[in-house]
Amino acid sequence: MAKLNIAPTKSNLLNIKEQLAISTEGYDLLEQKREILVMELMRIVEKVKLLEVEMDKCAAKAYPALKNMLLKVGGDRVERIAHGVEYDYELTKKPVTIGGMSFTTIDVNLPEKQLFSSFKGSFADSDEVMSDFFDYLVLITRMASIRTIAWRLALEVKKTQRRVNALDKMVIPQDRETVKYIESVLEERERDNIFVMKSLKKKQGSK
């Protein structure tokens, strides 16, 4: 690793040693941060896996129910029933703190589940289908929120890893090499000064 291009002086040695101490401490803190973020990311990934299982089960129930409904009453009537169903929802940003860090995710506010079998010519089977798909929609919105957090965490892990690598592979080795170089130059100068002083004393003693 190449050293920094600075003059080998005592003041520069003190500055580089101080910079090295800060870099080393920063590396330790960033490494701890990275480990915490990775642990949190793994925890959220597990949540995603469990939620995917729930979604698969819900879809396995909802889509066959919709197919049976289409076979019973026909597509035109299902479409008329669908046009009579209205749900309003709201998307909002939500701050989340994970591992001591703040992230922004999305939160979906869904209305309460409604039954429509007594309106617009719908019936119990249609309510069952709508209920299944409403449950599926709830899971989808939860998945969207969790995946948003996972995505932002992954970006933060990647950014932190780059900073850790920069300190570990470049900054700290470069500072250490510079300290080693300056110390060797100063030691060599000290030896030269001692040699010169001894030579002067010998000359003065021979007079």
Side-chain angles (χ1 to χ4, degrees), residues 34-170:
R34 186 192 67 82
E35 291 177 358
I36 292 172
L37 290 176
V38 169
M39 290 176 60
E40 292 291 342
L41 181 58
M42 292 175 64
R43 183 178 62 83
I44 290 179
V45 168
E46 287 301 315
K47 281 188 176 182
V48 170
K49 291 179 180 179
L50 293 174
L51 192 53
E52 284 176 343
V53 172
E54 288 187 59
M55 290 178 65
D56 289 342
K57 290 180 180 179
C58 190
K61 180 183 177 184
Y63 282 102
L66 175 60
K67 182 178 179 180
N68 290 333
M69 180 179 169
L70 288 169
L71 292 174
K72 284 182 179 180
V73 302
D76 291 340
R77 188 176 180 187
V78 169
E79 186 174 354
R80 288 196 300 270
I81 293 172
H83 284 309
V85 178
E86 293 184 4
Y87 278 115
D88 293 327
Y89 63 91
E90 181 182 2
L91 290 174
T92 58
K93 292 183 178 180
K94 181 177 68 174
V96 179
T97 301
I98 300 176
M101 300 191 62
S102 296
F103 299 91
T104 300
T105 183
I106 59 170
D107 195 16
V108 183
N109 300 316
L110 295 171
E112 292 185 3
K113 188 189 305 182
Q114 301 180 46
L115 299 180
F116 294 88
S117 57
S118 59
F119 301 99
K120 298 185 182 298
S122 63
F123 49 95
D125 285 351
S126 64
D127 272 347
E128 182 180 351
V129 172
M130 284 186 283
S131 177
D132 290 341
F133 274 95
F134 189 92
D135 293 339
Y136 193 42
L137 179 61
V138 171
L139 293 175
I140 290 173
T141 57
R142 283 173 56 192
M143 177 65 83
S145 180
I146 293 176
R147 282 188 178 275
T148 301
I149 296 174
W151 177 70
R152 294 187 182 279
L153 266 177
L155 288 179
E156 191 63 31
V157 169
K158 187 176 181 180
K159 183 173 70 174
T160 303
Q161 185 64 60
R162 285 200 302 265
R163 295 171 66 186
V164 168
N165 289 341
L167 288 171
D168 185 42
K169 305 298 182 183
M170 295 179 60

